[in-house]
Amino acid sequence: MTKIKIVTDSSVQMTNEEIADLDVTVIPLSVMIDNTVYIDGVTIQRDEFVKKMSTSESLPKTSQPAVGTILETFNKLTADGSSVLAIFLAESLSGTVNSGRQAAEMCDGDVTVIDSEFTDRAQAFQVIEAAKLAQTGADMDTIVAAISQVRSNTTLRMAVVNLTNLVKGGRLSKAAGMITSLLNIKITLSMENGKLDILKKGRGMKTIKAFREDVIQHMSQLPNVKSVGVSYVAIKDKAEEIGAEISQAVPGVEMLVRPTGPIVATHAGEGAFAIMYYQG
């Protein structure tokens, strides 16, 4: 039986223990801050990135791994006859999945590339399921079908409290950014079919408070929430508070509260957070 090895990118939200225990290979993305290039998770860690971002002269620029870097990883992992299943962040957020597809075509080994249609912990739900199945000896079709099911049952909700980075990054016009800043506008988003869409706009933090209460209330009414992730940018105490509220509303649910990676942090800005979960 052919062994299947799981690959993902560093936007994924997984602990070092999960990555090691599940034997997942993580290909790092890179980020440039004031003309200095850092390798995500290698030469810069998430907390350090947020600190540098807050004092940088311009908005950091993130970039996907080069096709050659991905190809090198694929060739190395398939050299012993193993197959590779690569699960990358949403195409709408990064060109990584397209680079992965190009590398797969050039690789001599058997490689399957999947667009997770998510990022962060929502992406990790698929990676973890795939890795667990691979360890049991499941075949590629079985694993791909299983993670498709996880993807279909995953929810990502996000709150952005400061629109400065969205404006700087070109995700929002400067004129709109000035207006929303003056009005103290906050926005909430959802990720559906691989794309971020605005759910609501509102004034002040009451919008964010209502959003968080609504998400947790909805989650508490679901019968089979299997795992939850709370990711954040520079609001550790508040994120842990949200995690505690979820634990109270959905007792016994598996949960991970951690800072998000450079891609989300760069565009969402300080104070942003996301609640992600999937139903088993």
Side-chain angles (χ1 to χ4, degrees):
M1 183 178 292
T2 303
K3 182 177 181 180
I4 297 174
K5 298 176 181 178
I6 308 301
V7 173
T8 191
D9 61 81
S10 63
S11 78
V12 78
Q13 184 70 284
M14 292 176 68
T15 66
N16 291 334
E17 291 75 18
E18 286 174 330
I19 292 168
D21 292 346
L22 294 170
D23 196 22
V24 173
T25 297
V26 179
I27 300 177
L29 285 75
S30 61
V31 58
M32 184 169 70
I33 307 174
D34 293 339
N35 298 316
T36 300
V37 177
Y38 300 91
I39 306 301
D40 182 23
V42 179
T43 59
I44 193 167
Q45 301 305 315
R46 294 182 172 191
D47 287 335
E48 183 186 2
F49 168 78
V50 172
K51 290 177 183 177
K52 287 184 179 294
M53 179 178 72
S54 67
T55 59
S56 64
E57 294 180 5
S58 57
L59 191 69
K61 296 179 181 178
T62 56
S63 61
Q64 70 263 24
V67 174
T69 300
I70 301 175
L71 176 59
E72 184 179 347
T73 300
F74 288 170
N75 282 335
K76 181 179 178 181
L77 293 175
T78 58
D80 62 358
S82 297
S83 294
V84 161
L85 173 59
I87 305 167
F88 293 132
L89 78 160
E91 186 175 350
S92 64
L93 300 177
S94 168
T96 302
V97 70
N98 283 326
S99 293
R101 288 168 180 152
Q102 293 177 52
E105 290 179 0
M106 292 185 278
C107 182
D108 292 332
D110 177 48
V111 178
T112 299
V113 175
I114 298 288
D115 180 349
S116 72
E117 298 185 4
F118 287 103
T119 187
D120 205 275
R121 192 63 175 176
Q123 177 181 343
F125 296 150
Q126 296 174 50
V127 175
I128 290 169
E129 181 69 13
K132 286 180 176 178
L133 286 170
Q135 288 185 338
T136 69
D139 62 24
M140 186 68 78
D141 288 344
T142 299
I143 298 174
V144 170
I147 63 174
S148 175
Q149 188 69 16
V150 171
R151 183 163 58 251
S152 297
N153 288 289
T154 294
T155 298
L156 185 155
R157 298 287 185 263
M158 183 176 177
V160 177
V161 303
N162 186 330
L163 304 183
T164 301
N165 283 21
L166 283 173
V167 175
K168 284 184 178 179
R171 300 301 197 275
L172 196 65
S173 73
K174 290 185 178 180
M178 289 172 64
I179 293 169
T180 53
S181 177
L182 288 170
L183 295 176
N184 194 22
I185 295 292
K186 316 298 181 187
I187 63 173
T188 59
L189 308 102
S190 67
M191 196 156 191
E192 309 282 349
N193 300 313
K195 294 183 179 179
L196 274 173
D197 293 310
I198 293 177
L199 280 174
K200 287 184 180 179
K201 300 178 184 178
R203 291 189 185 185
M205 291 304 291
K206 63 182 182 181
T207 299
I208 303 303
K209 186 174 184 292
F211 159 77
R212 133 188 187 184
E213 289 174 351
D214 287 348
V215 172
I216 295 174
Q217 170 66 14
H218 177 72
M219 204 186 313
S220 71
Q221 296 174 347
L222 299 172
N224 54 350
V225 175
K226 199 164 184 183
S227 186
V228 179
V230 178
S231 294
Y232 61 89
V233 186
I235 50 166
K236 181 180 180 182
D237 292 346
K238 184 63 68 176
E240 290 179 347
E241 183 181 298
I242 294 170
E245 290 175 2
I246 294 172
S247 292
Q248 188 172 9
V250 193
V253 70
E254 176 186 277
M255 183 162 49
L256 181 66
V257 180
R258 293 186 86 206
T260 191
I263 281 200
V264 177
T266 293
H267 297 295
E270 291 190 25
F273 67 90
I275 300 173
M276 299 150 283
Y277 60 91
Y278 86 99
Q279 299 162 255

